[in-house]
Amino acid sequence: MSVVTRNQPLGTPTWIDLGIPDLDRAMAFYGSVFGWEFDVGSEEYGRYTMCLLGGKKVAALMPNPDESAGKFWWNVYLATDDLDATVARSTDAGGTLLMGPMDIADQGRLAMVRDPSGAQFGLWQGWAHVGCELVNEPNTLLRNDLVTPNPGPAREFYAAVFDFTLDGNDDLPGVDFTFLRRPDGHEVGGIVGDPTASASSWGTLFQVVDADVAVAAARAGGGIADDPTDMPYGRTAEVTDPFGAKFTVGSPLLGVQG
């Protein structure tokens, strides 16, 4: 079991959250797909709701107060032990500061950044809240990959800000995929160069026991899902929740344990 009890190293995806217009409907949908339970926050904090698995925080949902909003997505937050220093490195490397830095009560410090390819991500310096307390397990966050039509500047940016090494991937011939690895060699995600992508964005992949079962639950809950397909690393499918937010579910291939 991949339990997290302290801040992750610099650049590691450490937290995810989703703003949506209907919290109750979102809890019903994600509860049915992932078996999550929910701790609804107070009005003071915008009903920021923790998604729990076995009592551990794995994500968050929050009502979006903008009634004109028509697009919703899962935010990914990358870890830092010094938010101000990482924000400075981000802007020096060509990123744009969108929000913060700011303190979130005693929970931690937050900033939102747009990289040079146009993708938005968060930075999180944990205090009382370190981020996801359970990862790499069924119904939790497995990985995040950046999909962009302009991968060159993205690769340069993330290497400069987080000291990532950049490695190609021979397992996916014909795909422009770059592994992002911390200085200690740990893989934290990847960059997918896709000239057909309409915009740059970070994707979120949740591990599940059975991708076909997760897809059926998503469809029954009012979402839209592709049929699962096999790839070298598992059986995956893209899912769109009832509000239009996309994510991916993935399970090990039959007979293969990840």
Side-chain angles (χ1 to χ4, degrees), residues 11-25:
T12 308
T14 190
W15 186 238
I16 49 173
D17 63 19
L18 170 66
I20 31 72
D22 187 334
L23 179 61
D24 289 335
R25 188 178 182 192

Side-chain angles (χ1 to χ4, degrees), residues 89-181:
R89 293 183 72 174
S90 298
T91 54
D92 288 347
T96 302
L97 181 63
L98 301 177
M99 183 174 69
M102 66 177 68
D103 294 351
I104 308 297
D106 65 342
Q107 300 298 296
R109 279 173 61 72
L110 166 73
M112 301 299 296
V113 176
R114 180 184 296 120
D115 73 23
S117 77
Q120 176 178 310
F121 66 95
L123 292 168
W124 182 253
Q125 179 181 345
W127 293 339
H129 174 60
V130 299
C132 296
E133 297 174 336
L134 188 65
V135 295
N136 304 334
E137 298 288 335
N139 303 315
T140 71
L141 175 65
L142 180 63
R143 67 180 292 119
N144 301 94
D145 292 308
L146 171 65
V147 179
T148 174
N150 193 19
R155 288 192 286 258
E156 294 174 3
F157 173 82
Y158 289 99
V161 175
F162 300 106
D163 300 322
F164 291 151
T165 58
L166 307 171
D167 300 302
N169 185 358
D170 296 333
D171 292 336
L172 299 174
V175 178
D176 182 359
F177 185 92
T178 303
F179 285 115
L180 299 176
R181 291 191 170 97

Side-chain angles (χ1 to χ4, degrees), residues 29 33 214-215 218 223-226 237-241 245-249:
F29 175 80
V33 174
V215 160
I224 301 169
D226 296 337
E238 184 176 81
V239 178
T240 303
D241 75 10
K246 297 182 182 298
F247 60 93
T248 303
V249 295

